[in-house]
Amino acid sequence: GVWTIGFGHTGADVSLGLRITEDEAEKLFNQDLIIHCNNVSRLVKVPLKQNQFDALVSFCYNCGAANLRKLVSNRNAAQIAAAIPLYNKSGGKVLAGLVKRRAEEKSLFLK
């Protein structure tokens, strides 16, 4: 039920039938990455290695800052890694694509 464009950009600026160029998609992606990098920096209270930071940026990009906050609240790095796969549902249903994405994020986090 959420419209996306480009590389997964969402927001009030996205609507049915909207078309953008690849350059515009890359610009939106870079703007979104800044937002999600800032969210990780702001919300994560444990020291992170670069791979862990990158995995959480990917998670935040897909799941949002509110779910990132839930994921990391009162957890150490090992507990965060263990909890990443739990975010594999949409509309209450486990989706194979989300299972795969969370597994990749967990693998990157543990690298």
Side-chain angles (χ1 to χ4, degrees), residues 29 32-41 44 46-63 68 71-72 80 84 101-111:
F29 180 69
D32 290 343
L33 277 181
I34 291 168
I35 291 166
H36 298 299
C37 286
N38 289 339
N39 285 334
V40 171
S41 294
V44 179
V46 297
L48 295 173
K49 297 175 187 170
Q50 187 64 53
N51 57 298
Q52 294 170 321
F53 182 88
D54 295 346
L56 293 179
V57 169
S58 174
F59 178 91
C60 187
Y61 192 96
N62 185 243
C63 295
L68 175 67
L71 174 68
V72 302
I80 291 169
I84 289 172
R101 184 176 299 194
R102 296 293 92 80
E104 290 171 354
E105 290 164 348
K106 181 179 178 180
S107 176
L108 177 58
F109 191 90
L110 294 172
K111 198 172 200 178

Side-chain angles (χ1 to χ4, degrees), residues 2-90:
V2 177
W3 293 105
T4 64
I5 198 159
F7 301 106
H9 175 76
T10 63
D13 57 335
V14 181
S15 60
L16 176 63
L18 180 64
R19 294 180 160 272
I20 61 173
T21 66
E22 187 171 340
D23 286 343
E24 291 169 321
E26 288 182 20
K27 183 178 177 185
L28 287 172
F29 180 69
N30 288 328
Q31 291 170 350
D32 290 343
L33 277 181
I34 291 168
I35 291 166
H36 298 299
C37 286
N38 289 339
N39 285 334
V40 171
S41 294
R42 178 175 53 86
L43 295 171
V44 179
K45 306 300 183 197
V46 297
L48 295 173
K49 297 175 187 170
Q50 187 64 53
N51 57 298
Q52 294 170 321
F53 182 88
D54 295 346
L56 293 179
V57 169
S58 174
F59 178 91
C60 187
Y61 192 96
N62 185 243
C63 295
N67 281 315
L68 175 67
R69 182 181 293 112
K70 283 192 264 184
L71 174 68
V72 302
S73 289
N74 300 312
R75 289 187 170 132
N76 62 32
Q79 292 167 324
I80 291 169
I84 289 172
L86 301 176
Y87 292 80
N88 62 2
K89 297 176 188 74
S90 179

Side-chain angles (χ1 to χ4, degrees), residues 90-102:
S90 179
K93 295 180 181 178
V94 174
L95 299 182
L98 294 180
V99 170
K100 182 179 181 207
R101 184 176 299 194
R102 296 293 92 80

